[in-house]
Amino acid sequence: MLLNYQYHQPSPDQQQTPIVLIHGLFGSLSNLGGIARALYEKYPVIQVDVRNHGQSPHSDEMNFTVMAQDILDTLDHLNIQQFSLIGHSMGGKISMKLTELAADRLQQLIVLDIAPSAYQENHHDQIFKALFAVKNANIQSRKEATEIMRTYLKEDMVIQFLLKSFSKGQWLFNVDALYTAYNQILSWTEIQPWHKPTLFIRGEKSPYIAKKTYINAIHSQFLNVNIETVEKAGHWLHAEQPEQVLDYIFKYLK
């Protein structure tokens, strides 16, 4: 599947390896925009909407193999052979899956606040209830959508994040497909150990790489890994503490 993308090239003679940015669940290519803008001057940057998100095509099929293949299809369309990845949350899992599908093409890998593990906790039950309530209400305005969502969600930051994908009375992401595939998104099939240097960045207050089992899963599947912690940040570490996240990213990319 060819994904919707934005491709930024610093200059025609730029020789750096392109970096692909992959957002998480309910997101779009704009979600990692702060990181993208920081990388523009030095690196070619490709931001994508993953399938069933943003302006990319919808599909009933949604698992990490097909989502990773979508990235390769898009890079092939752009005639890009060698690339690096930065993925957040679900986008981090897509990125990790590409160590299997494109071992000879993937150069550097940065994973933001997700482990190569199956997660048992449902962090999105209330979000799905809010999304379906808005979908079924047949409304047009963000103000009306906000009022409905506040019945289910108490965090204005989460509501505003979701509303970035609300346009002309509809969700840009495929709510039905995401709900059906949710267990697939939580799941994980262990990959062959990856030997290239890899950076994981986690939020100090986030539960996603907090347990010892998650740390062990990282070390068992990534044999040359560095795990950094961003203080005073949760799962949205790149939005909460962007300077610290960027500092870790640039130190790794050198």
Side-chain angles (χ1 to χ4, degrees), residues 20-24 32 48 50 71 85-88 91-92 94-95 98:
V20 185
L21 305 185
I22 311 177
H23 65 80
L32 299 178
V48 299
V50 305
I71 302 297
L85 292 169
I86 299 176
H88 173 244
I94 296 170
S95 300
L98 280 156

Side-chain angles (χ1 to χ4, degrees), residues 11 20 27 59 65 84 116 127 129 143 151 206 214 231 233 246:
S11 64
V20 185
S59 171
T65 298
S84 297
I127 288 178
K129 288 180 180 178
K143 182 179 179 182
T151 306
S206 171
Y214 297 150
E231 298 176 357
L246 286 170

Side-chain angles (χ1 to χ4, degrees), residues 22-25 64 86-97 109-119 121 123-124 185-188 198-203 206-210 214-215 217-218 222 225 227-228 234-235 237:
I22 311 177
H23 65 80
L25 183 63
F64 290 116
I86 299 176
H88 173 244
S89 197
M90 181 184 74
K93 282 190 167 182
I94 296 170
S95 300
M96 290 186 279
K97 186 65 179 177
L109 173 61
I110 299 173
V111 178
L112 302 180
D113 209 60
I114 200 75
S117 299
Y119 287 83
E121 305 89 351
H123 294 283
H124 302 97
I185 294 167
L186 291 181
S187 71
W188 183 251
T198 306
L199 174 64
F200 280 72
I201 309 177
R202 62 178 181 173
S206 171
Y208 283 86
I209 310 183
Y214 297 150
I215 301 291
I218 292 171
F222 294 88
V225 67
I227 303 174
E228 299 287 0
H235 188 54
L237 63 173

Side-chain angles (χ1 to χ4, degrees), residues 153-240:
L153 303 170
K154 306 308 177 188
E155 298 156 300
D156 275 341
M157 186 184 83
V158 174
I159 293 173
Q160 294 309 311
F161 161 71
L162 294 168
L163 285 173
K164 290 181 179 180
S165 293
F166 186 73
S167 177
K168 299 177 181 178
Q170 294 185 329
W171 294 114
L172 294 178
F173 37 66
N174 185 346
V175 181
D176 294 297
L178 297 183
Y179 184 75
T180 301
Y182 187 67
N183 286 336
Q184 292 269 18
I185 294 167
L186 291 181
S187 71
W188 183 251
T189 301
E190 190 166 318
I191 58 175
Q192 291 295 315
W194 180 248
H195 295 268
K196 293 181 182 178
T198 306
L199 174 64
F200 280 72
I201 309 177
R202 62 178 181 173
E204 179 186 32
K205 298 187 290 184
S206 171
Y208 283 86
I209 310 183
K211 295 180 181 179
K212 181 86 181 224
T213 53
Y214 297 150
I215 301 291
N216 291 342
I218 292 171
H219 283 289
S220 68
Q221 295 168 74
F222 294 88
L223 304 185
N224 189 356
V225 67
N226 187 26
I227 303 174
E228 299 287 0
T229 302
V230 177
E231 298 176 357
K232 300 178 182 178
H235 188 54
W236 296 97
L237 63 173
H238 54 284
E240 297 170 55

Side-chain angles (χ1 to χ4, degrees), residues 16-20 43 83-86 95 105-110 194 196-199 249 251-254:
Q16 295 280 12
T17 301
I19 300 175
V20 185
Y43 300 92
F83 61 91
S84 297
L85 292 169
I86 299 176
S95 300
R105 297 172 64 179
L106 177 57
Q107 297 303 302
Q108 292 182 290
L109 173 61
I110 299 173
W194 180 248
K196 293 181 182 178
T198 306
L199 174 64
I249 287 174
K251 285 179 180 176
Y252 166 78
L253 290 174
K254 286 180 180 177

